[in-house]
Amino acid sequence: MTTTRTNQTQENQVTTGATVWLTGLPSAGKTTIAYELAGRLRAEGHLVEVLDGDEIREFISAGLGFSREDRHTNVQRIGFLAELLARNGVKALVPVIAPYADSREAVRKRHQEGGAAYIEVHVATPVEVCSVRDVKGLYAKQAAGELSGLTGVDDPYEQPETPDLRIESQHQTVQESAAAVHALLTERGLA
């Protein structure tokens, strides 16, 4: 009986891996969209991991600061992990600011060289909207002079010029944003 259940579970799992890299400003909605999409994909039988930027900083990139070099190193570590998961049949959803175009391009190239699918999603929420959302209180701290180097305010954010998908989360619900990413995955044969 146990064998039958195990076989049925395995038959229902979809093992085409891919990395979905969600980039955007702090409080743009990247993580919220990623978790909404993860739930939908899991319900369809996909293996899914969300590589949350804050968790990665705590556990894999502890000790790194926010200089350009440290941010690049952090993005490359996350990119390596995502590509490894994608090559092994997992949908790696990566909600990470990743402010520099060259860092994101290096991650894309690593995926191409490894034969793993890679989709870049720009969550293009304007800084004015992000500062009102201010999920972590970063914009308030920056405005009060308690924080410097906030991406998109007093530190650069290089917007993707040609992302696979651009989402303006201020104009749609989280469910609609996740559905747009899911539609792209479906169109590419990945969902």
Side-chain angles (χ1 to χ4, degrees), residues 82-98:
E83 191 262 337
L84 183 66
L85 288 167
R87 275 192 294 120
N88 285 281
V90 177
K91 300 287 187 300
L93 309 182
V94 187
V96 176
I97 295 169

Side-chain angles (χ1 to χ4, degrees), residues 16-35:
T16 302
T19 293
V20 178
W21 195 281
L22 296 105
T23 180
L25 296 174
S27 296
K30 302 175 299 296
T31 303
T32 305
I33 294 167
Y35 278 107

Side-chain angles (χ1 to χ4, degrees), residues 33-50:
I33 294 167
Y35 278 107
E36 179 70 25
L37 178 61
R40 183 172 180 169
L41 290 169
R42 284 186 184 116
E44 295 173 352
H46 296 271
L47 300 172
V48 181
E49 287 295 332
V50 177

Side-chain angles (χ1 to χ4, degrees), residues 103-136:
S103 296
R104 294 189 306 265
E105 187 52 37
V107 170
R108 179 186 293 275
K109 185 176 179 184
R110 169 179 204 84
H111 279 72
Q112 288 171 340
E113 290 170 356
Y118 179 87
I119 293 175
E120 183 179 69
V121 177
H122 179 207
V123 183
T125 310
V127 70
E128 299 79 21
V129 174
C130 294
S131 66
V132 170
R133 290 180 181 172
D134 204 9
V135 178
K136 299 173 193 165

